[in-house]
Amino acid sequence: MSVPDDAVVRPVPRLDEPLARVLGERSAAPLAKLGLRTSGDLLRHYPRRYSEPGAFTDLAHLVVGEHVTVMAEVRQATIREMRSRGGAMLQAVVTDGSHQLHLTFFAKRRGALRLHETRLVAGRTGLFTGVVSDYRGQRQLTHPDYQLIGVDADDEASAFLEASRPIPIYPASAAAPTWRIQRCVRTVLDPLTEDDLPDPLPDDVRARHGLVGLRQALLDVHEPYADEHWKRGRDRLRYEEAFVLQAELARRRSRAVGAVATARPRVDGGLLDLFDAQLPFTLTAGQRAVGEELERELAAAHPMQRLLQGEVGSGKTVVALRAMLQVVDAGGQAALLAPTEVLAAQHARTLRALLGPLGEGGFLGGAEQSTRVALLTGSQGATARRENLLDAASGRAGIVVGTHALLSETVQFADLGLVVVDEQHRFGVEQRDTLRAKAAQTPHLLVMTATPIPRTVAMTVFGDLETSVLTEVPAGRSGITTHVVPAENLAWVERTWRRVREEVERGGRAYVVCPRIDPDEGKGARRDEGDGADLLAADELDLDGPAEAPARRPLQAVLQVAEELRALPALAGVGVAELHGRMPPDDKERALADFASGRVPVLVSTTVIEVGVDVPEATVMVVLDADRFGLSQLHQLRGRVGRGSAPGLCLLVADAPEGTPAATRLATLASTGDGFALAAVDLELRREGDVLGAAQSGAASSLRLLRVARDGEVIELARTDAREVVEADPELESHPALRAAIDRQLAGEREEFLDRA
Ligand code: ADP
Ligand code: MG
């Protein structure tokens, strides 16, 4: 009888073997609690650090409490029952010829000591390691580790070598202490051959950088003989992490680039031309250069995959809008996605304002050649929503603005040609994929970051995209001066409000930003209902210890501060309005309009004004509790002033005692206006996980050795190598080990990390 093919039992790859099978249930159970289930898991459980081996000590110089390793000969070993305490005890005496040392082992039963008894035979020499104690005037080691020459080691030299190895210290638990993990790792690793450990790094890449193979690297980090070994192994495994991630990003990029898209070449005499003709300013050199890049890529029959990051106020919106108009001219539609509803609504307003009559297609007063901007949000009324859905589906709206809800199935496009994502690290690879699936053919993609991000973060989070950068802000802005105002210095705080008054009297406007809407708000509310506030959590504030931990007064709140300012003598007669995400849309509109016109020149608000609010007369930005905001966000906030011809002033009111991380953050902000420089500092100061997304931090992270803030060079190298490999073999057909490593590394948490990032 023949056995059908699929009934042949394939052996499980060694790395996928459950630890319970390799080590037994008893040893495997505590490891499972650490999330280690297979041999592969355990081998990728790297030591956290290494401790120095005990120094070799002369028996004549044993000091109580010291961790020592001594070479000595066994003189005798005896087991006896302990009548008083119960249980059994083995006591051995070892000697160097002139001095003695006792070794003591305890056990519940005699039998458990048998192994030691059979090993510690008189006349054998060994290395004994442990902490020296004193028992009735006798030096002793309790439960020492030991290896016997001729038994555990071939000779003295190799015994010494063994005893002088760095000791790996593993992330451990009470049930699985580090030394036990070490033994388990050895049990798993030692029998594995190179064939059991296929190397994700291609040979030539490895050779190019002089990196050791996978098996050697694992031996290096788990069983080093010297510090150079674990350093060598760690470097190679760190590079591997970067390479595997970059290979996946390169593969995605190459798939997207290889896909077919509808070409949307620029049309002469179209909306884009009309728009350019009506622009009230000239584009900066950077805007022109990026514009040409986008124009060219949209005209190609492959999907554009571009990240646009720019300095605050560099004019990204106009660049994006011009790209959208090119697509509309070519018969397609563009979708603009914002991270929150409030921001989506603001974008729609901004776009409509920029377009003027060109954006009023089908309306009275619309230009002859024109399109329409549809806004789709979850909170809009059924009628408005139906109409907007229809505009999107019929193609009447050339531009559709919304949140990620635009990705839901109910939203249909007539011909989606371009997706623009305006985001703050919240739109992951997965969403990019979903969106591509919405169109008959992959749409072109433009991702914009709200603030500059460090190059290494861009490479890690947006590694599948090409990057364009706008560094220059339009000419004619007079710059912003930033000062830190200590909240407890009442004279300075008073001076702050007097400055506000002076600016107002000179025709300026002032923003006053607070972290909260009302004083009673729950403490857990980090994000004030989608207004973009990204307050630092309490535990992020004391990166360097509990210096800032003492109970703080409640955070400044919009409603309360507005009341206080209205009652302030310094601001007598000056109009003060409120703005926050919880107000009805009409009230918001009115507050902003009154502010813009100067009728109510002081606006107390949450970070709703962070993005999209553009009032050239605004000259002062006061941020209360400034220590609660991240650097990038403060930079974004201050970008709201100094947009006209009058210089801007940013006053950061904060409780930030000198020497605290918050003080460092604020001082840095005051010292530079360069958003890219700030982003780099932000990355250093904030915990990495907060930059890359929550899943990236913590023990469950699959980036174990790589740190984006530190390993820029490694990431860069890995990216170049990975792109080369993927270019030669887009689906990595000749690199099965690399494919497997991608699947393993990117499964679960990594996908999540990429998506959240
Ligand atoms: P950001 O890049 O921060 O999103 P915006 O797109 O909001 O910047 O642009 C900031 C302001 O600068 C807007 O009022 C915009 O209309 C204006 N702007 C854009 N480009 C130019 C330019 N070339 N010259 C003058 N003002 C410009
Ligand atoms: Mg913007």
Side-chain angles (χ1 to χ4, degrees):
M1 205 177 80
S2 75
V3 180
D5 259 3
D6 55 3
V8 175
V9 179
R10 272 173 230 284
V12 178
R14 298 290 293 265
L15 286 181
D16 294 335
E17 275 178 340
L19 287 170
R21 194 150 87 209
V22 188
L23 300 168
E25 284 293 346
R26 283 256 305 272
S27 300
L31 295 175
K33 293 224 175 80
L34 291 172
L36 310 172
R37 290 191 174 77
T38 64
S39 292
D41 293 345
L42 184 60
L43 296 182
R44 297 289 181 172
H45 188 65
Y46 305 132
R48 196 199 298 286
R49 61 188 175 84
Y50 297 83
S51 85
E52 295 283 318
F56 293 105
T57 311
D58 210 313
L59 277 192
H61 300 108
L62 295 177
V63 176
V64 171
E66 271 187 3
H67 189 272
V68 298
T69 297
V70 298
M71 170 77 74
E73 187 185 310
V74 179
R75 174 141 307 158
Q76 62 173 65
T78 44
I79 297 183
R80 58 191 180 78
E81 309 278 346
M82 294 183 294
R83 233 166 270 129
S84 53
R85 293 167 53 183
M89 179 177 98
L90 180 145
Q91 196 150 52
V93 179
V94 298
T95 175
D96 62 357
S98 38
H99 297 86
Q100 283 194 352
L101 174 67
H102 286 218
L103 312 179
T104 311
F105 299 83
F106 298 100
K108 284 221 175 66
R109 283 176 313 278
R110 223 187 155 89
L113 296 169
R114 277 288 185 249
L115 182 64
H116 291 303
E117 191 183 26
T118 56
R119 282 162 52 79
L120 295 169
V121 173
R124 276 188 181 161
T125 302
L127 281 174
F128 303 90
T129 304
V131 178
V132 180
S133 57
D134 180 281
Y135 183 70
R136 298 190 179 159
Q138 270 295 338
R139 296 285 187 261
Q140 78 169 14
L141 303 180
T142 307
H143 291 273
D145 270 340
Y146 64 93
Q147 11 159 5
L148 299 166
I149 289 149
V151 180
D152 304 313
D154 290 343
D155 50 33
E156 253 181 59
S158 56
F160 267 112
L161 191 63
E162 186 66 25
S164 55
R165 295 169 73 164
I167 302 160
I169 307 295
Y170 289 90
S173 66
T178 174
W179 58 268
R180 190 170 291 154
I181 294 175
Q182 185 187 356
R183 278 186 205 167
C184 292
V185 170
R186 284 190 173 204
T187 308
V188 168
L189 178 55
D190 288 351
L192 296 185
T193 64
E194 283 192 4
D195 290 341
D196 297 323
L197 294 163
D199 195 335
L201 292 183
D203 291 344
D204 52 337
V205 169
R206 209 149 46 73
R208 190 177 316 155
H209 302 301
L211 299 171
V212 295
L214 178 57
R215 180 167 180 277
Q216 186 58 53
L218 292 172
L219 285 170
D220 281 347
V221 295
H222 291 300
E223 307 180 31
Y225 279 94
D227 289 348
E228 300 90 81
H229 291 163
W230 61 256
K231 284 178 188 155
R232 177 178 74 181
R234 183 198 57 192
D235 287 352
R236 125 90 216 202
L237 293 170
R238 176 177 293 154
Y239 177 86
E240 179 190 315
E241 273 176 15
F243 181 83
V244 169
L245 177 59
Q246 291 299 331
E248 170 60 6
L249 291 168
R251 186 163 69 159
R252 282 170 183 269
R253 170 175 167 268
S254 116
R255 273 184 199 153
V257 169
V260 178
T262 308
R264 313 281 182 178
R266 182 161 182 172
V267 174
D268 277 339
L271 282 172
L272 179 50
D273 282 356
L274 293 172
F275 177 77
D276 282 350
Q278 69 158 47
L279 255 188
F281 45 72
T282 26
L283 296 175
T284 64
Q287 284 172 320
R288 268 204 309 278
V290 174
E292 279 161 22
E293 224 163 25
L294 300 184
E295 181 179 328
R296 204 168 42 245
E297 290 183 346
L298 291 171
H302 299 291
M304 174 173 86
Q305 298 282 304
R306 200 159 270 284
L307 171 70
L308 172 58
Q309 48 165 332
E311 184 54 90
V312 175
S314 59
K316 294 184 285 288
T317 316
V318 171
V319 171
L321 179 55
R322 293 185 69 252
M324 292 191 254
L325 291 176
Q326 176 172 336
V327 169
V328 173
D329 281 338
Q333 288 168 292
L336 173 60
L337 301 194
T340 66
E341 294 213 345
V342 177
L343 295 183
Q346 282 176 14
H347 270 311
R349 264 198 304 275
T350 308
L351 295 186
R352 284 179 186 138
L354 280 167
L355 284 168
L358 297 178
E360 293 169 10
F363 291 110
L364 209 61
E368 196 177 322
Q369 199 178 354
S370 59
T371 188
R372 208 183 258 200
V373 179
L375 171 67
L376 275 163
T377 63
S379 63
Q380 70 197 161
T383 322
R385 184 170 168 81
R386 203 169 323 118
E387 198 161 308
N388 282 308
L389 280 172
L390 200 65
D391 279 352
S394 67
R396 198 159 48 205
I399 297 173
V400 181
V401 185
T403 62
H404 298 179
L406 272 193
L407 304 185
S408 78
E409 295 92 60
T410 52
V411 183
Q412 298 288 326
F413 293 89
D415 181 9
L416 182 57
L418 167 67
V419 173
V420 180
V421 183
D422 188 21
E423 60 139 349
Q424 305 167 330
H425 299 186
R426 279 190 179 102
F427 191 74
V429 170
E430 202 90 310
Q431 281 100 332
R432 284 174 217 156
D433 291 348
T434 316
L435 197 75
R436 283 180 201 126
K438 277 222 85 84
Q441 282 184 333
T442 311
H444 299 281
L445 176 67
L446 176 65
V447 176
M448 303 195 288
T449 60
T451 49
I453 54 176
R455 192 177 145 69
T456 46
V457 174
M459 280 192 302
T460 309
V461 181
F462 302 103
D464 56 336
L465 308 177
E466 305 298 325
T467 304
S468 301
V469 177
L470 283 177
T471 46
E472 159 192 28
V473 295
R477 304 222 177 125
S478 351
I480 306 163
T481 317
T482 304
H483 296 290
V484 181
V485 178
E488 75 282 358
N489 188 328
L490 297 182
W492 285 41
V493 173
E494 210 191 301
R495 174 88 190 106
T496 299
W497 302 124
R498 273 200 320 242
R499 281 293 282 125
V500 166
R501 177 175 202 106
E502 285 162 25
E503 289 297 325
V504 168
E505 280 171 353
R506 241 179 262 159
R509 320 263 191 281
Y511 296 104
V512 179
V513 173
C514 309
R516 288 186 179 209
I517 298 175
D518 71 56
D520 307 323
E521 241 169 280
K523 273 198 170 161
R526 280 190 73 186
R527 209 154 224 287
D528 287 348
E529 56 182 54
D531 61 8
D534 188 12
L535 301 181
L536 301 180
D539 63 336
E540 285 170 54
L541 292 169
D542 44 90
L543 299 181
D544 295 342
E548 288 175 89
R552 299 169 48 102
R553 55 172 175 68
L555 293 179
Q556 300 278 9
V558 171
L559 302 178
Q560 194 177 5
V561 169
E563 279 309 304
E564 286 167 11
L565 294 187
R566 286 187 190 112
L568 209 64
L571 292 179
V574 175
V576 176
E578 294 149 15
L579 180 72
H580 58 77
R582 230 187 275 156
M583 283 159 56
D586 287 355
D587 292 3
K588 273 191 261 180
E589 257 359 292
R590 188 159 352 101
L592 268 175
D594 286 350
F595 181 69
S597 74
R599 220 176 65 78
V600 184
V602 175
L603 190 62
V604 183
S605 93
T606 56
T607 52
V608 268
I609 54 125
E610 179 188 349
V611 185
V613 176
D614 193 30
V615 177
E617 291 82 8
T619 48
V620 198
M621 165 68 60
V622 180
V623 184
L624 300 179
D625 285 324
D627 49 311
R628 298 302 299 254
F629 296 89
L631 261 183
S632 296
Q633 193 169 28
L634 288 171
H635 182 57
Q636 178 82 20
L637 279 171
R638 117 179 123 171
R640 300 298 105 195
V641 298
R643 305 192 136 217
S645 48
L649 175 66
C650 176
L651 299 169
L652 306 168
V653 183
D655 265 333
E658 227 174 297
T660 59
T664 312
R665 266 200 310 276
L666 298 178
T668 309
L669 193 78
S671 71
T672 179
D674 179 344
F676 283 91
L678 286 171
V681 176
D682 207 12
L683 181 60
E684 303 259 320
L685 291 181
R686 293 184 75 169
R687 280 177 316 198
E688 183 139 309
D690 299 308
V691 179
L692 289 183
Q696 212 258 336
S697 60
S701 163
S702 45
L703 284 191
R704 285 147 208 255
L705 299 170
L706 197 67
R707 292 289 167 267
V708 176
R710 182 195 58 201
D711 298 323
E713 249 173 71
V714 176
I715 294 172
E716 197 129 6
L717 268 185
R719 164 146 126 151
T720 310
D721 293 339
R723 287 195 163 191
E724 204 174 282
V725 169
V726 168
E727 207 160 293
D729 180 2
E731 283 306 320
L732 303 172
E733 270 155 35
S734 51
H735 300 280
L738 176 55
R739 273 199 331 261
I742 289 174
D743 292 344
R744 211 168 36 241
Q745 260 195 50
L746 297 204
E749 61 233 47
R750 178 60 62 81
E751 291 284 2
E752 203 181 319
F753 140 60
L754 284 173
D755 291 343
R756 277 209 225 163

